[in-house]
């Protein structure tokens, strides 16, 4: 049988993914996480009497710490299964991807285990994040003169 | 390539299963279930898988009242790179060892080799073993364990367990009647989350060649089981084998992957089980016991394997597959 004909049979027996529901859940959970982040900013700027920009850094540290702690305790993956991309896309997902990769290799030692596998998933995000930030910065400089 | 065996018999089997398998409808046929965690008091997951295989061999020796000296060879394989779980598990057994690999079709490959060696009277007793561990497979083939990224519904779930079978030249109730060696197939599937679609052509080809070589009709068998196609792969195989080989698989056909878990209760498992130990968990347990009770008399077991490497897939190659078949028969006295 030709490969094309076989692909047609395969296509007939594929499960329908519930994309609309997944998108809605991700939107709501991601939104709630964003609102929680904003609450943290308000809280820190009020309690410590600092600017919103500084409070933003405190907020990031808090969320990253919580994501790492919950991953290490073993239940953050359940949040991911529930909240889907709403949990993965924000900074919590980035911390979680590093922490989970590290946990896999806890028996292989600090250098060959932890060190070389920590950025297994996050490495791509860092590389293309930094590269695109550089180019977008360059474009902004050319267009607006850096303002 | 099909051969008939004259004097290869099954002496006994042993099965050890893990946490997710305890809810299986066929769990009563397992000898031991580790239901607490995935480590079984070992330091790492890889060592835990080694323990599954090692314990299944010890248990088999105990159940069949054999000593290590009476076993001529162990033929084993698993999913981890360089089949290291098997090597470490058999290290202290002091029995000659042959390592084999056909991914999830490993169990039948080892049985065909052992039966052929016994049939030609080179050896008397052989143990065939295989293991897989859900988390070691996740770690090796997919995302980190704790990442918990979502998978499409067609993705199968690697079973955790160790399985061993003792094949002997001494006459018992159940005979290994014939074996068919599979060919490597490629029908252009690149989706690692739809292994059922990858492996269905291999299963179809092996079933068709088995029947052709022996001049049999599919109705000759009371039960036909494929390895780990899952609920979607099973339907693909039914349609494909009907269209391309004109073989109709009716209610006597099922798939071990689709049978292994309680899919209604275990929502995290969408398409069914997979892994080298998936088929043996059904074949060495349920099927073996049913043959012993003469509930079935002639059974065709087709294990299916996706010969999958992430590296080759990322280099834009298709995923290859293979299927090996054996037929078991009740010995009429």
């Amino acid at each position: 049988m030709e490969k094309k004909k076989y692909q047609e049979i395969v296509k007939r027996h594929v499960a329908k993914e519930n994309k609309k529901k997944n998108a809605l859940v991700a939107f709501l959970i991601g939104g709630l996480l964003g609102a929680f982040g904003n609450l943290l900013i308000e809280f820190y700027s009020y309690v410590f009497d600092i600017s919103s920009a500084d409070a933003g850094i405190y907020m990031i540290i808090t969320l990253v710490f919580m994501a790492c702690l919950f991953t290490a305790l073993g239940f953050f993956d359940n949040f991911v299964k529930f909240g889907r991309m709403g949990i993965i896309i924000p900074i919590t997902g980035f911390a979680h991807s590093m922490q989970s990769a590290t946990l896999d290799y806890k028996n292989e030692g600090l250098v060959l285990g932890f060190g070389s596998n920590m950025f297994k998933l996050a490495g791509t995000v860092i590389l293309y994040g930094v590269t695109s930030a550089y180019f977008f910065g360059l474009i902004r400089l050319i267009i607006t003169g850096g303002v | 390539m099909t051969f008939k065996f004259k004097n290869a018999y099954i002496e006994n089997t042993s099965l050890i299963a893990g946490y997710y398998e305890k809810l299986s409808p066929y769990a009563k046929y397992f000898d031991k279930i580790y239901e607490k965690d995935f480590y079984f008091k070992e330091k790492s997951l890889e060592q835990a898988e080694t323990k599954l295989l090692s314990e299944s061999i010890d248990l088999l020796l105990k159940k069949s009242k054999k000593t290590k000296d009476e076993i001529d060879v162990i033929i084993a394989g698993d999913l981890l790179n360089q089949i290291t779980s098997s090597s470490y598990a058999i290290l202290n057994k002091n029995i000659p060892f042959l390592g084999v690999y056909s991914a999830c079709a490993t169990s039948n490959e080892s049985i065909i080799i052992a039966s052929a060696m016994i049939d030609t009277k080179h050896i008397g007793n052989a143990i065939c073993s295989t293991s897989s561990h859900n988390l070691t497979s996740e770690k090796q083939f997919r995302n980190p364990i704790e990442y918990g990224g979502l998978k499409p519904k067609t993705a199968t779930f690697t079973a955790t367990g160790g399985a061993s079978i003792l094949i002997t030249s001494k006459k018992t109730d159940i005979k290994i009647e014939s074996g068919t060696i599979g060919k490597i197939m490629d029908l252009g599937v690149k989706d690692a989350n739809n292994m059922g679609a990858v492996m269905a052509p291999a299963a179809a080809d092996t079933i068709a060649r088995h029947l052709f070589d022996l001049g049999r009709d599919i109705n000759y068998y009371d039960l036909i089981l494929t390895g780990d196609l899952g609920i979607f792969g099973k339907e693909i195989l039914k349609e494909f084998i009907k269209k391309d080989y004109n073989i109709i698989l009716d209610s006597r056909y099922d798939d071990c992957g689709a049978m292994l878990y309680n899919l209604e209760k275990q929502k995290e498992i969408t398409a069914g089980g997979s892994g080298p130990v998936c088929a043996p968990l059904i074949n060495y347990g349920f099927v073996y016991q049913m043959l012993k009770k003469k509930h079935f008399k002639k059974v065709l077991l087709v294990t299916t394997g996706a010969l999958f490497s992430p590296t080759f897939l990322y280099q834009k190659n298709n995923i290859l597959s293979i299927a090996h078949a054996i037929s078991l028969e009740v010995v009429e006295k």
Side-chain angles (χ1 to χ4, degrees), chain B residues 85-304:
Chain B
S85 302
S86 301
S87 319
Y88 279 96
I90 293 155
L91 170 67
N92 293 321
K93 303 280 183 260
N94 206 18
I95 301 172
F97 165 61
L98 272 181
V100 292
Y101 181 82
S102 288
C104 315
T106 301
S107 60
N108 273 9
E109 180 184 357
S110 59
I111 291 174
I112 290 172
I113 295 169
S115 303
M117 286 164 85
I118 286 172
D119 212 41
T120 47
K121 297 195 169 65
H122 288 296
I123 57 169
N125 295 308
I127 289 180
C128 299
S129 296
T130 187
S131 67
S132 54
H133 191 298
N134 180 267
L135 297 184
T136 58
S137 299
E138 288 292 314
K139 182 174 162 183
Q140 180 173 308
F141 293 105
R142 300 175 195 110
N143 285 331
I145 296 160
E146 289 295 333
Y147 189 64
L150 289 165
K151 287 176 194 156
K153 286 177 185 160
T154 46
T156 46
F157 186 90
T158 309
T160 305
S164 293
I165 186 167
L166 177 57
I167 300 170
T168 175
S169 55
K170 201 187 83 202
K171 200 172 179 183
T172 66
D173 294 343
I174 299 160
K175 183 183 180 184
I176 299 167
E177 195 261 344
S178 63
T180 302
I181 300 176
K183 288 180 188 169
I184 292 180
M185 299 288 284
D186 167 21
L187 278 187
V189 183
K190 282 196 171 88
D191 186 357
N193 283 312
N194 194 359
M195 288 300 192
V198 173
M199 299 185 290
D205 181 71
T206 302
I207 293 172
R209 281 193 301 112
H210 177 84
L211 297 175
F212 178 79
D213 288 348
L214 296 174
R216 283 174 189 165
D217 187 72
I218 191 82
N219 297 321
Y220 178 85
Y221 292 105
D222 306 326
L223 179 73
I224 301 120
L225 286 181
T226 46
D228 54 353
L229 300 180
I231 53 173
F232 301 103
K234 191 178 142 181
E235 297 306 318
I236 295 171
L237 172 65
K238 277 188 191 172
E239 190 176 335
F240 177 63
I241 202 167
K242 192 177 163 191
K243 272 198 176 155
D244 230 37
Y245 300 91
N246 203 19
I247 295 170
I248 293 169
L249 295 171
D250 57 13
S251 60
R252 277 170 294 188
Y253 162 69
D254 211 331
D255 178 73
C256 298
M259 291 160 77
L260 183 62
Y261 295 102
N262 187 341
L263 295 177
E264 282 189 3
K265 270 191 192 167
Q266 296 173 287
K267 289 286 178 209
E268 62 274 42
I269 301 161
T270 48
S274 65
V277 91
C278 175
L281 282 176
I282 300 291
N283 294 345
Y284 300 177
F286 167 70
V287 176
Y288 176 67
Q289 296 298 335
M290 286 297 135
L291 282 167
K292 266 184 128 181
K293 287 177 188 159
K294 299 195 168 47
H295 192 82
F296 299 124
K297 288 200 170 146
K298 295 178 176 118
V299 175
L300 179 65
L301 305 174
V302 187
T303 53
T304 46

Side-chain angles (χ1 to χ4, degrees), chain A residues 1 3 6-7 10 12-13 15-17 74 77 80 84 88 96-97 100-101 103-108 121, chain B residues 39 43-44 139 143-148 150 152-153 186-188 197 200-201 232 235-236 239-240 243-244:
Chain A
M1 189 183 264
K3 289 179 180 176
Y6 182 67
Q7 295 293 342
V10 172
R12 271 203 288 281
H13 298 284
K16 270 194 179 164
E17 303 292 336
D77 52 334
V80 173
R84 295 150 204 260
I88 294 271
H96 170 59
S97 74
S100 58
L103 278 173
D104 263 13
Y105 293 90
K106 61 176 184 281
N107 287 311
E108 281 86 336
L121 295 173
Chain B
Y39 283 89
K43 262 181 86 180
S44 75
K139 182 174 162 183
N143 285 331
I145 296 160
E146 289 295 333
Y147 189 64
L150 289 165
K153 286 177 185 160
D186 167 21
L187 278 187
F232 301 103
E235 297 306 318
I236 295 171
E239 190 176 335
F240 177 63
K243 272 198 176 155
D244 230 37

Side-chain angles (χ1 to χ4, degrees), chain A residues 14-22, chain B residues 151-155:
Chain A
V14 164
K16 270 194 179 164
E17 303 292 336
N18 204 337
K19 284 184 185 164
K20 278 179 192 163
K21 190 190 153 201
N22 289 354
Chain B
K151 287 176 194 156
K153 286 177 185 160
T154 46

